[in-house]
Amino acid sequence: MWVLRMAWRDSRGFRQRLLLYTSAIAIGIAALTALRGLSHAMEEGVAQQASELLGADLEVESDLPFSATAEALFDSLGGRRARMVETLSMVLLPESGGTRLSEVRAIRGNWPFYGELRSDPPTAALSFRQGREALVDNGLLLQYEAEVGDSIKVGRVTFRIAGRLLGIPGETAVRTDVRPPVLIPYEYLAQTELVQYGSRIEYKALFRFDDDRDVQDLAERIKERLSRSDPDIDVDTARDRQQRLGRTIRNLDRFLGLGGFIALLLGAVGVASAIHAYVEQKLESVAVLRSLGATGGQALRIYLLQAGVLGLIGSTAGAIAGAAVLLTLPALIADFLPGTVRVSPSLGTALEGISIGTSIALLFAARPLLAVRSASPLLAIRASYESGLRAGDRVWRGLVVVLAAGGAYLLARLLAGRPDHALFFTAGTAVALMLLALSAHLLRGSVRRFFPRSLSYVTRQGLANLYRPHNQTLLLMVSLGLGTFLVATLYTAQNSVLAHISQLGGEAQPNVVLFDIQSDQTEGVRQLVQQMEMPVLQLVPVVSMHIGAIGGVPVDSLGDQGGWALRREYRSTYRSELADSEALVGGTWHGDTVQAAVSLEAGVAQRLGVSVGDSLTFDVQGMPLTVVVGSLRSVDWQRIMPNFLCVFSPGVLEAAPQFHVLVTRGDSPEARALLQRRLVEKYPNVSAIDLDLILRTVDDILDRVAALVRFMALFSVATGVVVLIASVSASRFQRVRESALLRTLGASQQQVQRMLLVEYAALGTLAGLTGLLLALGGGWGLARFVFEVTFAPAWDWLAGALLVVPLLTILVGLFGSRGVARVPPLEVLRRAG
């Protein structure tokens, strides 16, 4: 009870300042509580809406029409059934002349069996199935200013637009942005003439069972029964879809959790620094207690209790704030998840956040508090006395550091869900903190060593504050620098991706790709492109095939050798010359040789375990074709050109069923739009990809991702600002004494204020510059190793950040130091004795 009473009494006069320290922990706990609450809500929502995610109990999918064996099996299953065929095709809105590559879905039956197609008007979700009508994605209609009642041409058939499609069970807004869906009745699919050789078609059979059968077991039996007749078949259940979406939610949770993790660690570092400054001011009080008979352990428990209570208060406030933040998060991630997520604050999540925050605050405050145990009673009578660390205290300090690192790892383990990811989180953050701290030491040492003596007195004094006792350089560099680093890295990486895509669409580069051109259409499409005064940059044949054997050994006998490279469908071509995007890395190019040879991309050859001279047998539409590997190539997959894993020598595949791909360039959006309209009118099965549209879509998606990252980075920036305010507040008395001494020596109030201005301007500039320099390194790493694009920094944004960070630091610093220069020197000198 004596410890409790002393902890309460000793905090008098410092409670407001101590509560300010805890707000740093509160911000981190707010982020953590909001994210954990959202994650739990999403997992519960997915579990409750599992069937709605698929729209059925069971979905059987194939890239080829179902065999007679499969159809007979479907008839024997019973239950309610529906059919769907999905394909990518150009659609035309005749009233506006707009064309767009869309995902056309031909539906038969009452799918979805769970959930609903959301449409405007609501009745259109059912009425479009009764006649030659279509349900069209709302975004597509808005893009071309089309209305319900207008027409849309899909292939050879013109449909009346029955309504706007607002939502499909299991679909995300991001997917519909990239591939806007158009729903039509199944019976009109053949009339559209969209199903051609080479077209990307997905055939789906969907089932709902009202009995209690084991759908998961049924799915396994269907796979086994159809493994020979329909080898490309894929069977999906509501539970499978739930598990996949659950993985997506966990990945999103880990991605966003990094922001909360860093904010909480920053808050912990801020608390440790604040407690350190607080303890320095309290050592004389501790010495008095020691002189009156208190032990070092009792003194330690007094201040450890204060730190624990402050951590509890801050964590509780953070949990309450997190509940409010939780209500805003679903709107930010709505585009990346299907359906609606109903969220509400959870008591369990709040208690979890409070316990984590309190524990982290205690762990990080323990090390500076160990100085209390070493405080000698001599400090009460000899102000100049300096007590050193006892040998035992060094062991305790090392133990506390280990416990703090272990606590950080356990927190990362909770957020990441996997030990290796947690280690990456912890180690990555530690490296960033150490780099920032090292930068702070180097910059502070450089200013001290290479001090500019020729500057004015005020400027010299302001810069000298960077390395004076109780300076804030290290703390500010770590807090604001890390927040700046996070946000700037995001912008730099995003700008690199967009710059790369823009470069691909630059002058002389292809920006239109036409595919699914049938052999009897090649000459007509070529002439149409040339009539539009566009160049035919490439017109290449494409043949679909699978690998049947390697070195004479059938695929079925190879087990897992080769993985995806062995089982995938290969869309190959034949020609006698290398393309601009290829380079020979092994063997001899086949040229015009009469030998049946194939050139493999080097990566897939390594995956298959084959080299130059080995033999491969391909299954080309049911016909075996054995060839020799004549060469290996490296391929620049980022070039907008038809690139292939397998390129055959001439005279081998000419008679095989094939389609063609043409690449061209249109210098204006109007020319590209006109080409697409004429293609839809004359060759409705031919689809076109407009690179400019892809660029806008990717830009929009990256903006949404950036908004999420910026939202989480704000917690780190806010923590840095709070730590700065707390640091200024903690050193206020020291600054008042310095101001009094300066004014006693003849400095004016204006000079003291300008010194503070110089100090905070230098601190903000150093913090911003260090964060931005690290961001350049981080952005380069993301561009080079993650996105594999050329590094292209956003120099204009970085320049703006270099101005904003110092300005923010100056405003916060001067606000926290207001009134320092106005305290009368005599009053301070009397207080100091």
Side-chain angles (χ1 to χ4, degrees):
M1 291 302 299
W2 179 82
V3 170
L4 287 174
R5 288 196 301 271
M6 289 303 302
W8 173 257
R9 292 171 181 171
D10 186 76
S11 66
R12 292 172 182 170
F14 290 87
R15 291 168 190 168
Q16 185 176 359
R17 186 185 306 171
L18 290 173
L19 288 175
L20 178 62
Y21 302 155
T22 65
S23 60
I25 282 287
I27 294 174
I29 291 298
L32 179 68
T33 304
L35 290 173
R36 297 288 293 170
L38 179 65
S39 177
H40 291 325
M42 287 190 297
E43 289 178 356
E44 292 177 2
V46 167
Q48 294 171 359
Q49 304 173 20
S51 297
E52 293 184 16
L53 298 174
L54 187 63
D57 292 322
L58 182 70
E59 176 186 278
V60 185
E61 178 185 325
S62 176
D63 294 335
L64 299 171
F66 294 116
S67 66
T69 303
E71 295 290 357
L73 177 60
F74 297 159
D75 290 338
S76 67
L77 294 179
R80 285 187 266 177
R81 287 183 288 171
R83 285 297 180 89
M84 184 187 303
V85 175
E86 296 181 2
T87 184
L88 292 176
S89 174
M90 299 298 297
V91 297
L92 169 67
L93 295 162
E95 283 78 6
S96 64
T99 60
R100 178 75 184 270
L101 183 66
S102 303
E103 185 177 71
V104 177
R105 302 187 187 186
I107 299 175
R108 182 177 68 195
N110 292 324
W111 182 87
F113 299 118
Y114 301 97
E116 62 177 358
L117 294 175
R118 295 186 294 110
S119 64
D120 179 24
T123 56
L126 294 175
S127 64
F128 87 94
R129 309 168 197 251
Q130 309 304 319
R132 199 165 67 180
E133 294 186 333
L135 205 56
V136 183
D137 177 67
N138 184 51
L140 179 59
L141 296 181
L142 292 175
Q143 180 182 358
Y144 294 107
E145 299 181 350
E147 300 291 341
V148 174
D150 290 350
S151 57
I152 183 170
K153 187 176 182 182
V154 182
R156 299 285 184 186
V157 182
T158 299
F159 296 87
R160 176 185 174 274
I161 299 176
R164 299 174 181 270
L165 183 57
L166 304 178
I168 300 176
E171 299 284 323
T172 66
V174 169
R175 171 171 172 152
T176 57
D177 284 348
V178 177
R179 305 161 63 174
V182 176
L183 276 52
I184 63 173
Y186 189 90
E187 53 267 26
Y188 290 96
L189 178 64
Q191 299 178 29
T192 63
E193 300 183 9
L194 295 180
V195 181
Q196 303 282 344
Y197 176 76
S199 300
R200 281 291 186 181
I201 307 291
E202 292 183 358
Y203 299 86
K204 295 184 178 182
L206 302 118
F207 301 86
R208 171 174 175 168
F209 306 108
D210 294 323
D211 49 25
D212 296 330
R213 72 180 73 189
D214 187 341
V215 178
Q216 208 66 30
D217 178 67
L218 178 61
E220 294 299 326
R221 287 191 284 115
I222 291 175
K223 288 182 184 178
E224 184 179 354
R225 287 274 301 274
L226 300 180
S227 59
R228 293 187 176 274
S229 62
D230 299 76
D232 291 329
I233 207 166
D234 184 39
V235 184
D236 214 4
T237 67
R239 193 172 78 182
D240 294 334
R241 185 68 60 89
Q242 176 187 351
Q243 290 174 347
R244 284 202 298 270
L245 187 56
R247 287 193 294 269
T248 301
I249 290 173
R250 286 190 292 273
N251 290 336
L252 183 63
D253 184 34
R254 293 165 190 163
F255 172 68
L256 296 177
L258 180 60
F261 176 75
I262 293 175
L264 188 55
L265 285 189
L266 269 180
V269 171
V271 166
S273 300
I275 291 295
H276 176 75
Y278 176 63
V279 167
E280 282 190 340
Q281 299 178 46
K282 285 292 184 179
L283 286 180
E284 291 185 6
S285 299
V286 174
V288 172
L289 289 175
R290 297 293 307 278
S291 300
L292 295 176
T295 64
Q298 288 176 319
L300 176 64
R301 287 196 294 273
I302 290 172
Y303 294 99
L304 201 61
L305 179 61
Q306 289 181 354
V309 172
L310 291 173
L312 177 63
I313 294 173
S315 301
T316 303
I320 295 172
V325 174
L326 176 61
L327 301 178
T328 66
L329 281 177
L332 288 176
I333 64 169
D335 292 340
F336 300 92
L337 293 173
T340 56
V341 179
R342 298 178 180 85
V343 298
S344 58
S346 167
L347 179 60
T349 304
L351 292 177
E352 178 186 70
I354 291 171
S355 60
I356 289 174
T358 305
S359 302
I360 289 291
L362 280 173
L363 283 175
F364 279 77
R367 188 179 185 278
L369 285 177
L370 287 175
V372 172
R373 295 181 72 246
S374 305
S376 171
L378 288 174
L379 280 173
I381 56 177
R382 289 171 53 188
S384 61
Y385 178 81
E386 295 182 4
S387 61
L389 280 176
R390 294 180 296 185
D393 284 344
R394 291 189 177 91
V395 175
W396 277 107
R397 286 197 172 197
L399 179 61
V400 168
V401 170
V402 171
L403 289 176
Y409 171 79
L410 291 176
L411 174 61
R413 178 75 169 81
L414 176 68
L415 294 173
R418 285 176 48 177
D420 53 342
H421 289 174
L423 185 61
F424 175 78
F425 264 34
T426 309
T429 305
V431 168
L433 290 173
M434 285 189 293
L435 285 175
L436 285 165
L438 177 62
S439 300
H441 282 297
L442 290 176
L443 291 170
R444 187 171 55 187
S446 299
V447 172
R448 185 170 188 172
R449 182 175 181 181
F450 306 105
F451 196 81
R453 303 292 179 181
S454 61
L455 297 179
S456 67
Y457 169 76
V458 170
T459 304
R460 292 201 312 272
Q461 280 296 120
L463 292 177
N465 284 341
L466 295 177
Y467 54 84
R468 62 166 174 75
H470 307 288
N471 70 82
Q472 307 166 63
T473 306
L474 178 62
L475 180 60
L476 180 62
M477 294 283 284
V478 171
S479 55
L480 280 186
L482 189 56
T484 305
F485 162 69
L486 289 175
V487 180
T489 299
L490 162 73
Y491 273 100
T492 302
Q494 180 184 1
N495 193 73
S496 297
V497 173
L498 294 179
H500 177 75
I501 296 175
S502 298
Q503 183 181 7
L504 294 179
E507 294 183 5
Q509 296 295 324
N511 60 6
V512 178
V513 180
L514 310 181
F515 56 96
D516 288 350
I517 305 172
Q518 302 304 301
S519 296
D520 59 351
Q521 297 174 330
T522 54
E523 190 57 33
V525 173
R526 181 202 297 270
Q527 292 179 4
L528 178 59
V529 171
Q530 291 174 340
Q531 289 171 6
M532 298 289 299
E533 298 183 352
M534 294 183 183
V536 178
L537 301 176
Q538 278 197 27
L539 178 58
V540 296
V542 181
V543 180
S544 298
M545 60 188 68
H546 291 80
I547 294 179
I550 297 179
V553 180
V555 167
D556 293 340
S557 304
L558 294 175
D560 295 331
Q561 175 185 333
W564 61 266
L566 190 66
R567 310 293 176 184
R568 64 163 291 152
E569 178 188 45
Y570 286 85
R571 296 200 164 193
S572 309
T573 192
Y574 53 90
R575 46 181 157 82
S576 59
E577 65 281 334
L578 281 167
D580 293 339
S581 57
E582 299 172 330
L584 204 63
V585 295
T588 304
W589 181 249
H590 49 245
D592 294 317
T593 180
V594 295
Q595 180 186 10
V598 64
S599 177
L600 295 180
E601 191 269 338
V604 78
Q606 181 181 12
R607 186 77 178 182
L608 291 171
V610 299
S611 58
V612 175
D614 292 339
S615 67
L616 286 175
T617 300
F618 288 89
D619 180 355
V620 185
Q621 306 296 306
M623 297 293 294
L625 173 65
T626 301
V627 293
V628 174
V629 178
S631 63
L632 304 178
R633 296 163 296 118
S634 63
V635 179
D636 183 1
W637 296 104
Q638 296 177 350
R639 293 280 298 275
I640 304 298
M641 285 288 187
N643 293 314
F644 299 91
L645 294 172
C646 303
V647 177
F648 287 78
S649 58
V652 178
L653 294 177
E654 280 80 352
Q658 57 193 263
F659 63 97
H660 296 74
V661 174
L662 184 149
V663 291
T664 182
R665 175 171 182 81
D667 292 328
S668 68
E670 294 77 16
R672 296 193 297 269
L674 181 58
L675 173 63
Q676 294 180 55
R677 283 198 298 271
R678 291 186 177 179
L679 277 172
V680 172
E681 293 169 353
K682 194 169 184 179
Y683 305 103
N685 63 287
V686 177
S687 297
I689 297 178
D690 187 341
L691 181 61
D692 182 63
L693 179 61
I694 291 177
L695 175 61
R696 293 198 303 270
T697 303
V698 171
D699 191 11
D700 180 60
I701 292 174
L702 288 178
D703 280 344
R704 299 183 204 182
V705 175
L708 284 174
V709 180
R710 283 196 298 270
F711 181 79
M712 296 314 304
L714 281 176
F715 285 99
S716 299
V717 175
T719 305
V721 172
V722 169
V723 170
L724 172 60
I725 295 173
S727 180
V728 172
S729 177
S731 62
R732 182 179 176 83
F733 180 70
Q734 180 72 20
R735 289 180 175 276
V736 168
R737 293 181 62 184
E738 293 172 356
S739 172
L741 292 174
L742 288 170
R743 292 183 63 193
T744 302
L745 295 173
S748 65
Q749 291 186 21
Q750 290 75 18
Q751 286 178 314
V752 173
Q753 290 174 344
R754 288 201 298 271
M755 291 174 193
L756 294 174
L757 178 64
V758 170
E759 177 187 358
Y760 289 119
L763 279 172
T765 302
L766 293 178
L769 183 61
T770 306
L772 293 177
L773 288 175
L774 290 177
L776 288 174
W780 174 83
L782 287 175
R784 175 69 176 81
F785 300 107
V786 177
F787 299 112
E788 297 183 354
V789 298
T790 304
F791 180 50
W795 294 115
D796 54 346
W797 190 93
L798 295 177
L802 193 55
L803 294 176
V804 170
V805 175
L807 181 60
L808 178 64
T809 308
I810 291 171
L811 292 176
V812 173
L814 293 181
F815 177 80
S817 303
R818 66 191 186 281
V820 166
R822 293 196 297 269
V823 178
L826 188 58
E827 177 183 334
V828 177
L829 296 176
R830 284 173 176 170
R831 192 185 309 167

